[in-house]
Structures are given as structure tokens and as C-alpha cells.
Amino acid sequence: VQEQNLRIPGPTPLPPQVREAMARQMINHRGPEYAAIQAEVLEGLRHFFRTEHEVLLITGSGTGGLEAAIVNTLSPGEPVLAVSIGVFGDRFARIAEAYGAQVRKLDVPWGQAVTPDALAASLASGPAVRAVLLTCNETSTGAMNDLATLAPVIHAAPGAPLLLVDAISALGAIDLPMDSLGIDVLITGSQKAWMAPPGTTMLGVSPRAWEAHARARMPRFYWDFSTQRQSQQKGQSAWTPDVVTVIALQVALRMMRDEGREAIFARHARVAAFTQRGLEDIGLSLFAAPGCRSRTVTAATVPDGVDTSELLRYARTERGVVIAGGQDRLAGRMIRLGHMGWVDEPDISPAIEALAEGLARQGFLIPTATGA
Ligand SMILES: Cc1ncc(COP(=O)(O)O)c(C=O)c1O
């Protein structure tokens, strides 16, 4: 298969070392070899979650991780505030509704982040809630919430609600210190900044979340935190794990430790700024408001009259660059470029050039030089 420059916001490209590790023979998932790999992965994850607490590895996609966070900490009928800044915030709210939580929603215009004031006002406007659901990085809009300013607002709210954070497309690329921010369940997915394939969701669980778990009555079986914790304490996984992804994570986390946390965060900030500049230079409008632009995915709207699906088709078939379109009500109007995990500026330049060429073929001339 010809190599593609995969520039969607996950799954993300895999480094060669990770791909090689994935080609190995299968191992016993209840044997010592698996136990050693899992222990190393959990230790590596704790370093990036910046937590002293337990991290759980559960086979499933990110959405499964969101569902696990809800069913393990809440009971039917409990009031919850779901802060939504886009498609994935909406999904988190819908999961809570599906399990019978009493969901109050704070809908923020797409392309913006929630402000501490708006969050405080929303928390003050109704009865105390048991939990706040928050997306760190909204992959559908390229906007990012600032947990450092939002977390204290939630901790100060009546009843000290639990803070459940969807960091699926953020963690590993941006600094999100779970313990010092007081995050109760922090959720991510292997296929995003972790340089591993889809298959595993990783969840940090605080002591307060464990207390809530002991009382939470939402139905659960596969996703039960206690079952997974007991198995992890024996070096196993409750159910047959996605062994290949766990092996991939072991290698990827070694690479991440070698590069260093701060260097990884700085690289993502740099590549994000490069991507934003490049897209603006070719005449696209960044969708997220200045000040809340994501460091892992950039969303931009195309000029009126551009056929977005033709633009994406051109980039894919003529230039080998795979770029995502818009989701939900943004479909047809937006392109989204992923820049998390194994990525640097030279991976982005060809994507911007491909878009510039595709726009030119539709008669849209580039106002300035390309971002390359
Ligand atoms: C912010 C966010 N939340 C949730 C999800 C859902 O994850 P998955 O597609 O792995 O179920 C994604 C995936 O793109 C995401 O970016």
C-alpha cells in the first residue's frame, strides 16, 4: 500500500518502531510477559497524566471511555452539567442521558471555548450537580477549553461536583496535570497523541472518583472500574485486551519518555502555530476563536463556492494527503487537519500545499505565498 500522509485528527500515523513491534507473535495475555508490558505502559501513562493515582487500560474506543467514566461514577437521576463546545461535548451529554442522568446542558457557540464566568454562572443558575462533563480539546471545531482556569470554578461550586474530562484528543500532546487540576476521571484514546493504533481507552481515576464509584448505580458490566482494577493488580486485564495496541503503547511511550514531556508539549504548540499560519496564508479562515485554538487539530472554513469534498478528494488522490472534513452541521464547509503524536512541520507543509493547489484548481487564487 502506498504511504499516505494521514492528517486527520486520529487515527494518527505510527512511527516505524511502533509498527515493527506490532508485527510480533501473539502472547499470553494472562502470562508474565503481558504483565510486564502492561506495568510499563501504566507507569508511562501516569507520567503523562501527571497522576499518582490509578490509570485503567480498557479495550475500546474513546467513546467507550466516556461511557465508562459516566456509568462508574453516577446513578440514574443524578443531576449533571454537560458543557458542550461541539460534537464531542454533545456526545458526552447524550451518553449521560442514555443512562438516566438528569442532564443540564451549557451549550457554547461552536468555535469558542467556555469561559470561567459562563461556567460559574451556569453552575450557579440551577441546583447543585453531582458532576461536570467537560471536553478538553473539541476535535470537531479545533477549539480548546482551558482546564487550568475552569477546574477551580468547578471545585468551588456547591456540592463540589466531580470533574469528568474528555481529553481524548489532547492528552499526551498538551499539559493536563490530572492531580494538580483535581480531575476525577481523565479519559484519552490510544489512536490520538499516543502514536498507537485505535483500540485502547485509558482513564485516570482519582480517589474521589473511586468513592463515587462505590455508590454509583448506573448499570455496567464490561466497563466496571473495580473489575478492571482487580485484574490490573494481578498484571492482567479483566477481559481479553487489545494486546497489539498495548504493545504499541509500550514502544510509543518509550519514545515519548525519550523526547520528554516538555519537548513534546512545545513541539505540538509549534506545529499548531505553523498549521494555523499556513492555512491562513492560503486564504482559509480558522474556525476556532483566537485564544482558544487547539494545539492538536486545526479546523478551517473554505471560501464560499469551494466544493469541499472535491478539495479533499484532490488532496487525497493527487497528493496523497488525507485531510478530514467537517462533522455534523459543519459538514461540507470545513476542513480539519490533525497534528498530534508523531508529527512535525515537514508533515504539515505538503498538506497545506495540496490544499493550495486544490483551491487553485477550483479557481481560488492564493492571496500570498503558501505556508510551506
Ligand atoms: C474529543 C473526542 N472525544 C471523543 C472521541 C470519540 O473517540 P472514538 O472515536 O475513539 O470513540 C473523539 C474522537 O475523535 C474525540 O476527538
Side-chain angles (χ1 to χ4, degrees):
V1 184
Q2 215 185 337
E3 281 279 320
Q4 286 180 327
N5 185 355
L6 186 62
R7 296 268 54 95
I8 61 172
T12 60
L14 304 178
Q17 300 92 312
V18 171
R19 281 184 278 170
E20 279 158 27
M22 289 166 59
R24 63 169 293 174
Q25 185 54 277
M26 206 27 66
I27 56 172
N28 175 10
H29 67 298
R30 305 218 181 268
E33 208 180 348
Y34 181 81
I37 296 170
Q38 181 172 266
E40 185 181 330
V41 166
L42 292 172
E43 171 60 29
L45 289 171
R46 268 195 294 273
H47 177 72
F48 283 94
F49 278 61
R50 297 184 60 186
T51 185
E52 302 281 305
H53 308 310
E54 204 123 16
V55 172
L56 301 176
L57 275 187
I58 308 184
T59 296
S61 84
T63 306
L66 300 181
E67 184 158 327
I70 287 167
V71 299
N72 278 285
T73 56
L74 295 167
S75 298
E78 278 187 324
V80 164
L81 179 69
V83 181
S84 177
I85 65 168
V87 169
F88 293 105
D90 284 356
R91 185 180 300 179
F92 212 176
R94 279 166 49 213
I95 297 169
E97 273 162 8
Y99 281 95
Q102 201 185 308
V103 178
R104 189 162 95 229
K105 245 180 124 204
L106 170 55
D107 281 303
V108 175
W110 288 13
Q112 294 179 25
V114 66
T115 62
D117 286 349
L119 180 59
S122 180
L123 283 164
S125 73
V129 292
R130 180 80 184 102
V132 175
L133 315 182
L134 197 59
T135 316
C136 175
N137 184 73
E138 181 48 76
T139 319
S140 66
T141 65
M144 206 163 67
N145 278 322
D146 179 17
L147 266 291
T149 55
L150 299 172
V153 173
I154 294 160
H155 299 320
L162 293 167
L163 173 52
L164 313 184
V165 176
D166 172 352
I168 288 169
S169 61
L171 207 59
I174 68 156
D175 196 14
L176 209 54
M178 173 172 165
D179 292 359
S180 63
L181 290 176
I183 297 172
D184 292 300
V185 185
L186 183 58
I187 308 132
T188 186
S190 54
Q191 80 274 25
K192 303 287 189 182
W194 304 99
M195 305 192 292
T200 299
T201 180
M202 302 91 95
L203 302 102
V205 184
S206 77
R208 253 164 47 97
W210 282 110
E211 282 166 27
H213 169 75
R215 296 192 306 271
R217 291 190 323 278
M218 280 188 182
R220 55 182 181 263
F221 184 83
Y222 180 87
W223 298 115
D224 191 83
F225 280 178
S226 299
T227 316
Q228 181 61 18
R229 173 160 72 171
Q230 280 160 20
S231 295
Q232 282 188 194
Q233 282 164 353
K234 293 185 293 183
Q236 298 183 15
S237 178
W239 327 116
T240 309
D242 180 1
V243 173
V244 177
T245 300
V246 181
I247 289 171
L249 280 171
Q250 179 188 32
V251 177
L253 282 162
R254 282 182 187 170
M255 291 175 67
M256 291 172 75
R257 290 292 277 259
D258 287 347
E259 185 177 355
R261 225 163 34 193
E262 296 309 317
I264 291 173
F265 301 152
R267 174 168 55 80
H268 281 87
R270 201 182 67 229
V271 173
F274 180 83
T275 308
Q276 291 161 13
R277 258 196 326 273
L279 291 176
E280 284 190 318
D281 282 350
I282 63 168
L284 301 187
S285 306
L286 301 181
F287 187 74
C292 69
R293 288 182 181 147
S294 165
R295 293 199 283 277
T296 58
V297 51
T298 299
T301 49
V302 299
D304 282 342
V306 169
D307 178 342
T308 310
S309 53
E310 169 54 22
L311 182 63
L312 298 179
R313 187 206 63 77
Y314 175 83
R316 188 179 73 250
T317 58
E318 305 295 320
R319 295 296 305 268
V321 185
V322 184
I323 298 168
Q327 292 170 285
D328 204 297
R329 65 180 116 115
L330 299 169
R333 295 175 43 214
M334 177 182 274
I335 61 112
R336 291 177 305 136
L337 267 179
H339 35 85
M340 62 190 116
W342 192 49
V343 62
D344 222 328
E345 279 102 333
D347 304 304
I348 300 298
S349 299
I352 293 174
E353 283 164 20
L355 288 168
E357 282 178 19
L359 287 168
R361 285 171 72 97
Q362 294 191 34
F364 290 87
L365 294 177
I366 290 44
T368 59
T370 72

